[in-house]
Amino acid sequence: MSTFLRQLGAACARHGIRTLLVWIAVLLIGGIGVWQAGPQLSNDFKIPGTEAQDGLDIISERFPELAGLTAQVIVESPDDHPIETHRDQVQRVVDQLSAVPHVTQAADPWSELLRTPTISTDGRFALINVQLDLALGQDDDGALDTIETVAADSTKAGMPASVGGQIYQLTSVPLSPLELVGVAIALIILAITFRALLPAVLPVITGLLGVSIAMTGVLIVAQWVDISTTTPTLAIMIGLAVGIDYCLFIVSRHRSQLVHGWNVVDSIAMANATSGGAVIFAAITVVIALCGLIVSGIPFLAVMGLCAAAAVAVSAVIAVTAIPALMGLMGERLRPRYARASRRSGQEETRKHAAKHSKQSASQWWVSVITARPWITIAVVLVFLSAVVIPAKDLRLSLPDNGTEPVGTPARDTYELVANEFGDGANAPLLIIGGIIQSEDPLGLVDELADRVEQVDGIRSIQIATPNRNADLAAVIAIPEAASNDPATEKALENLREAADTWERELGVEDIHVTGMVAARMDVTARLTDALVPFASLVVGLALIVLTVVFRSLWVPLTATIGYLLSIGAAFGVTSMIFSWGWFTGPLRISNTGPVICFMPIMALGVLFGLAMDYQVFLVTRMREYWTHGEDARQAVKKGFASSAPVVVAAALIMVSVFFGFIPSGSFYVQPIALALAVGVAIDAFIVRMTLIPAVMMVLGKRAWRFPRALDRVVPHVDVEGVAMDHLSDHMEWKRVNGPAILRMEDVRINEGGQTVASCDELIVWPGEVIQLDGPPSQVRTLMCAAAGLIRADQGIIVVRDNDARDRSSWMRANIPIMLRASWAHMIASDAEESDKNLVLVDCPVTEQVRDQLISATVEQEGALIVGPQAGNSGFVVTRTVKIGGDA
């Protein structure tokens, strides 16, 4: 993959304008699609198979009058007299509401169909329940505006009226300009990190481009798939954060290479191959975790996860294409000024400036402090995180009602007015339905069922008890004593369902369901809570597997996974402190405390998994790199940390700032998720990955890298560290100093049976050369086979046209012809001439025609020929003769 990313980065850098135009065209096409269709979002959280959802499906089919949205209109007496003295005025409001399009019924507060009139305890307020034939998110054709007009006219006429209810459920994307604060903070962090504004702007531009494209895609898909209003916001929040971070990694690598004098295009290609590879790996882990939400069996959550995963995927693709394009267009302007000046003044000055600006004293100081007494560090971190995790036990989950809407909105004001005047339960009706087709007295049976319901603990009163038009389905609307998110209402729901079997048996009512929107919200919350443990197990198992493959170690995955669990627990603990205990709600502009959105834990689990693995890989792979290069295990921890910590710090700060930007103006849906992600990233990056993990690695020492041989044989090798690109990076530095070579062989040794059978101290072949190898024929052939990728060298460097034999032997076998038999000569020569091969190896006699073909295909095309001793007197005009086993 690294080779592909290198080639992709180089191509995008050379064709920057074309690359960017393609992405802009994609964005414009998506924008036109959204403009033509318009967003079709909803907050219809359905879970097939739950009792409440089954009941709602039955109502939709057999009692459609109760199946649509509802609205509440509460009217107040204009004087000190009871509202009943103004009954005529109230009736006029009822009649006007009944005439509104899509309204199937506006219930008279004194209607005989109501078992209890909907009049407040003090007699000053009347509640008009309005039933519509609209589904959630469906275009209301102005019904809401007309209902609000009726209420406004009543208020002008002297009788105050206000509107609330389900009809106010959001069907638009809840975003505000305050989200840009997080982006502005990210820009400042990037400018400080790069010590320049221009490179800081690039990740922000591409991050915004990525989420814009992802957003248009989500809104277009919403024409055919039910997507909640929360989904685009989450996709933007997650996609923007990871998009800026991903681009930061690539730009940072490019800038560091420019400091060391790299050519712009070569540097972009290498940055895309190394940091771009890490970006792709990080994106894959986040995408897998988010797609894992499918296992919850909850459709709206699966769609939410898939949309967020799509945003991450788009951000990753943008990072490895648009960023190289922009960097290519910026050219030398991204090279730091001191590097440009020193490049003009000489290489020695370049090295001095690079050393000066690459010091990481803060990182070195920190890792020295936390590893000086690693056991103390581990103890302090564990005690702190354990204390932060404890409040998580008080975290309560729920789905929203109008009580979570912003203060001052009609939905929230009416909700509180109804709660104050009619009791909290008036906003949380429970609907009990059951089949009564066998009854000879359906009205009597419905009344008897209502009496039983009213006796259940937690039920305050019965609002309506009636059969449907066919008299085969009973419907009882029960008003609980407490609000919808109160545990007492959950208990009342349990009591009703437990009593259902008895009622079916004693009353003869068939298939009783306790349903309604409140019951559906509770069922969704319960199902999400039940799915939390299986999903967490999946994520933890995935973390162990992924990290075992990456690091080829057992201790590293174990400690990383434990750290992830501590981070997620601490994130839940802090969320509970704020939403359950009410801490810091003022500064954070959080107006609703209590239960948080029920899919927050499972969403945070998925997103934080990917981010935690990203930081773990970025930090620990550098430690492993130093270990594999011969450093002492403990020194490898310090050097690896100091090398990678600054970029991780910047990346984590960007994540935190973007997530926090969604808190002050966020909705009930978004605020707890944004808070949990911001806190989770901060704790995971700064406390777990940059404090706990280095201390643990210091304690483990060499044991951290031990891997059982049995596993080593079966676990695949994954080059996430970019070892292949490190080889190429070293060669590109050599190339920058010495120039482009066709073939570079240095300190090559090929062994067999413990003995060296062929060796070459140095062989550099330049474009246009014909090299004659002089030495024992068997050794010459062995080295030529190694140069063609047919034999793997045990030691040394073999590079052909920037392709290292250690990582690109398959390319070499496909692209470097070697003539070992005269019978192959014509075929290989013809192929070389047609495909313009850069290097051909010849160790057999050839005809004059073949010789001319080879020279035409190689030497005359800035390629090269290497001729062995068995080529005999084939007539090649040799540029140099190289003695095998000695210096070139």
Side-chain angles (χ1 to χ4, degrees), residues 158 184 419 808 885:
R808 295 280 286 159

mmCIF file of all heavy atoms in Angstrom, residues 158 184 419 808 885:
data_model
loop_
_atom_site.group_PDB
_atom_site.id
_atom_site.type_symbol
_atom_site.label_atom_id
_atom_site.label_comp_id
_atom_site.label_asym_id
_atom_site.label_seq_id
_atom_site.Cartn_x
_atom_site.Cartn_y
_atom_site.Cartn_z
ATOM 1 N N GLY A 158 -57.335 37.905 23.543
ATOM 2 C CA GLY A 158 -57.425 38.031 24.991
ATOM 3 C C GLY A 158 -57.287 36.736 25.757
ATOM 4 O O GLY A 158 -57.204 36.768 26.987
ATOM 5 N N ALA A 184 -11.516 27.403 14.442
ATOM 6 C CA ALA A 184 -10.579 28.512 14.626
ATOM 7 C C ALA A 184 -9.477 28.140 15.623
ATOM 8 O O ALA A 184 -8.297 28.454 15.411
ATOM 9 C CB ALA A 184 -11.332 29.750 15.115
ATOM 10 N N ALA A 419 -46.450 20.570 32.248
ATOM 11 C CA ALA A 419 -45.964 19.854 33.426
ATOM 12 C C ALA A 419 -46.368 20.561 34.709
ATOM 13 O O ALA A 419 -46.769 19.917 35.705
ATOM 14 C CB ALA A 419 -44.447 19.709 33.349
ATOM 15 N N ARG A 808 10.460 -4.495 -2.602
ATOM 16 C CA ARG A 808 9.867 -4.419 -3.936
ATOM 17 C C ARG A 808 10.412 -5.509 -4.852
ATOM 18 O O ARG A 808 10.554 -5.319 -6.061
ATOM 19 C CB ARG A 808 10.159 -3.043 -4.539
ATOM 20 C CG ARG A 808 9.510 -1.890 -3.791
ATOM 21 C CD ARG A 808 8.060 -1.761 -4.181
ATOM 22 N NE ARG A 808 7.957 -1.191 -5.510
ATOM 23 C CZ ARG A 808 6.892 -1.306 -6.282
ATOM 24 N NH1 ARG A 808 5.850 -2.001 -5.871
ATOM 25 N NH2 ARG A 808 6.863 -0.751 -7.475
ATOM 26 N N GLY A 885 33.283 -8.386 -5.518
ATOM 27 C CA GLY A 885 33.986 -8.658 -4.273
ATOM 28 C C GLY A 885 34.887 -7.503 -3.875
ATOM 29 O O GLY A 885 35.421 -7.465 -2.780
#
